[in-house]
């Protein structure tokens, strides 16, 4: 077992003003994480998701040893993050969204070399790892560029590369595709999958992007209000929640629909039809074939259920 979390809780004491009494304050306790337990095996790609304020960041900070839990136990590769934080740093890698671990005024290769020194790698080991990772991620042409001159997509790739320079057992990725265009997102996903397949690196991912979770992960853990709402396989999640799609079809001309439509149409506006499709019941290809018979299609938009809506559905089911 690579990660073992048992009955993990974190409480924060907060002072609040007492209504009507200017100088008096009372202490309240905020439960950010409440009795959370889960295990992760080596080589898994796990999505850890939830709405803002759900407890994701607090849990990750406890897993990485940044803060200590109020109660509960954590072991990662046999180490306890709170008391073995320095040893654990050599076994884990982290990339937190827009917070760069590279040095903006240095070149990419000099940033990597500095990271190698931080992780006590020899010059030979660092150069070997830089060569290996650069080839793996296809970033050799970026090594001599100053970090601040990279595009966002290029920098995010280099951030991931830097986070695995010391060859960690597990990498924590917090919103790795945030703010990226579709081409850069696809490249980041490709790199994450390659890292997992070729190096066996365990991936612990947080993301608000349904596509990230759907493409990358084989398991999903959902947290809300500090508690685990769902811990299930990606296949199960797809079957239960991600099969529902919102399809918008745009036609070249105004529609003249005078007969009853056989699908779950929720709106018809001028040259546009909006419908819900459950892919467990209807194949997208069959749906599009039917609606193409109504007129020449100019464009199609297919949206998955937003992650926030999925989490809300899970949470409401849990309360029943």
């Amino acid at each position: 077992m690579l990660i073992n979390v048992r009955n993990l809780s974190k409480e924060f004491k907060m002072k609040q003003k007492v209504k009507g009494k200017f100088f008096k304050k009372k202490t309240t306790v905020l439960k950010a994480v409440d009795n959370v337990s889960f295990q992760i095996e080596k080589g898994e790609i796990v999505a850890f998701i939830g709405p803002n304020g759900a407890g994701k960041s607090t849990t990750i900070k406890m897993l990485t040893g940044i803060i200590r839990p109020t109660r509960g136990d954590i072991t990662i590769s046999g180490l306890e993050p709170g008391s073995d934080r320095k040893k654990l740093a050599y076994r884990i890698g982290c990339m937190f969204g827009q917070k760069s671990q590279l040095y903006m005024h240095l070149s990419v290769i000099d940033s990597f070399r500095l990271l190698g020194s931080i992780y006590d790698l020899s010059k030979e080991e660092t150069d070997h790892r830089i060569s290996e990772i650069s080839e793996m991620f296809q970033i050799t042409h970026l090594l001599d560029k100053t970090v601040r001159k990279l595009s966002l997509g290029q920098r995010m790739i280099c951030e991931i590369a830097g986070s695995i320079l010391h060859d960690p057992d597990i990498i924590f990725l917090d919103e790795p595709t945030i703010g990226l265009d579709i081409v850069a997102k696809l490249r980041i996903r490709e790199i994450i999958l390659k890292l997992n397949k070729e190096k066996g690196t365990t991936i612990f991912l947080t993301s608000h992007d349904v596509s990230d979770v759907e493409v990358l992960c084989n398991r999903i853990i959902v947290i809300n209000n500090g508690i685990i709402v769902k811990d299930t396989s990606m296949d199960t999640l797809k079957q239960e929640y991600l099969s529902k799609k919102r399809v918008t079809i745009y036609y070249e001309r105004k529609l003249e629909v005078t007969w009853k439509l056989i699908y779950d149409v929720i709106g018809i506006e001028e040259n546009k039809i909006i419908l819900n499709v459950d892919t467990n019941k209807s194949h997208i290809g069959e749906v599009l074939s039917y609606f193409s018979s109504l007129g020449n299609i100019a464009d199609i938009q297919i949206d998955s259920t937003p992650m926030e809506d999925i989490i809300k559905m899970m949470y409401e089911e849990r309360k029943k």
Side-chain angles (χ1 to χ4, degrees):
M1 191 75 63
L2 184 63
I3 298 178
N4 189 17
V5 175
R6 292 187 304 161
N7 309 120
L8 189 67
S9 296
K10 181 62 181 179
E11 298 172 355
F12 294 99
K13 292 182 179 180
M14 304 174 65
K15 290 188 179 295
Q16 293 181 325
K17 289 183 179 180
V18 177
K19 189 176 181 180
K21 297 184 179 181
F22 187 77
F23 294 104
K24 192 170 182 180
K25 293 183 178 181
K26 64 179 180 179
T27 300
T28 59
V29 176
L30 172 66
K31 284 188 176 181
V33 177
D34 187 7
N35 200 37
V36 163
S37 297
F38 59 85
Q39 292 78 40
I40 296 175
E41 299 282 356
K42 181 173 174 56
E44 282 193 275
I45 304 182
V46 178
F48 189 66
I49 63 171
N52 293 330
K56 301 189 303 295
S57 296
T58 302
T59 302
I60 291 175
K61 286 176 181 177
M62 288 189 284
L63 290 174
T64 54
I66 296 172
I67 60 175
R68 289 177 177 266
T70 304
R71 290 179 297 278
D73 301 301
I74 310 169
T75 56
I76 300 179
S77 293
L79 300 172
E80 195 280 308
S83 56
D84 299 318
R85 187 178 176 187
K86 187 173 181 180
K87 291 181 181 177
L88 183 66
Y90 293 91
R91 309 293 292 273
I92 66 173
C94 302
M95 195 203 81
F96 295 109
Q98 302 285 342
K99 296 179 182 178
S100 180
Q101 64 183 327
L102 303 178
Y103 298 85
M104 292 296 170
H105 62 287
L106 296 180
S107 65
V108 173
I109 193 167
D110 285 339
S111 288
F112 286 169
R113 284 170 177 160
L114 189 52
L115 287 172
S117 297
I118 291 171
Y119 286 108
D120 296 327
L121 300 179
S122 68
K123 183 180 182 303
E124 291 74 20
E125 288 174 319
T126 300
D127 288 343
H128 174 73
R129 287 292 293 161
I130 290 173
S131 176
E132 184 180 30
I133 292 169
S134 299
E135 185 177 340
M136 181 180 182
F137 287 3
Q138 298 177 13
I139 57 171
T140 305
H141 63 294
L142 300 177
L143 293 179
D144 292 325
K145 284 192 174 184
T146 305
V147 172
R148 61 183 169 80
K149 293 183 179 179
L150 300 176
S151 69
L152 181 58
Q154 290 173 333
R155 184 168 68 77
M156 296 301 268
I157 292 172
C158 291
E159 291 281 356
I160 296 176
S163 68
I164 66 161
L165 188 70
H166 56 299
D167 198 19
D169 298 327
I170 179 170
I171 179 171
F172 294 90
L173 298 175
D174 184 21
E175 300 286 356
T177 64
I178 189 169
L180 300 183
D181 60 52
I182 187 62
V183 174
K185 281 187 179 187
L186 292 173
R187 180 71 182 124
I188 292 289
R189 291 170 189 164
E190 178 187 322
I191 284 171
I192 292 170
L193 289 171
K194 188 173 184 179
L195 181 62
N196 174 258
K197 183 178 180 180
E198 295 186 6
K199 303 292 290 184
T201 306
T202 304
I203 310 292
F204 192 88
L205 169 79
T206 70
S207 179
H208 282 92
D209 191 321
V210 176
S211 298
D212 283 348
V213 176
E214 191 172 2
V215 170
L216 294 172
C217 301
N218 45 38
R219 179 180 164 200
I220 183 170
I221 300 173
V222 182
I223 186 170
N224 196 15
N225 292 333
I227 59 175
I228 297 294
V229 176
K230 197 91 168 178
D231 185 350
T232 187
S233 70
M234 196 65 225
D235 287 341
T236 300
L237 187 76
K238 286 180 180 179
Q239 186 73 19
E240 294 180 357
Y241 299 100
L242 295 183
S243 62
K244 297 174 178 61
K245 307 289 184 183
R246 174 70 56 85
V247 180
T248 305
I249 302 172
Y250 299 87
Y251 290 88
E252 293 179 353
R253 298 177 182 176
K254 183 178 178 180
L255 290 172
E256 299 291 342
V257 181
T258 57
W259 62 92
K260 185 177 180 180
L261 298 170
I262 63 174
Y263 291 97
D264 182 15
V265 175
I266 59 175
I268 300 177
E269 306 171 14
E270 293 291 327
N271 65 330
K272 178 172 69 174
I273 288 181
I274 306 169
L275 64 149
N276 292 322
V277 178
D278 186 341
T279 56
N280 288 329
K281 299 176 181 178
S282 304
H283 192 278
I284 288 288
E286 295 175 356
V287 175
L288 296 180
S289 177
Y290 171 79
F291 281 94
S292 67
S293 66
L294 303 181
N296 293 329
I297 295 176
D299 197 7
I300 299 168
Q301 180 178 329
I302 301 176
D303 299 308
S304 298
T305 306
M307 187 59 70
E308 289 77 8
D309 291 350
I310 293 173
I311 293 168
K312 183 180 177 182
M313 285 187 283
M314 291 177 179
Y315 192 60
E316 287 175 347
E317 288 173 6
R318 189 182 186 280
K319 291 193 293 185
K320 290 178 181 178

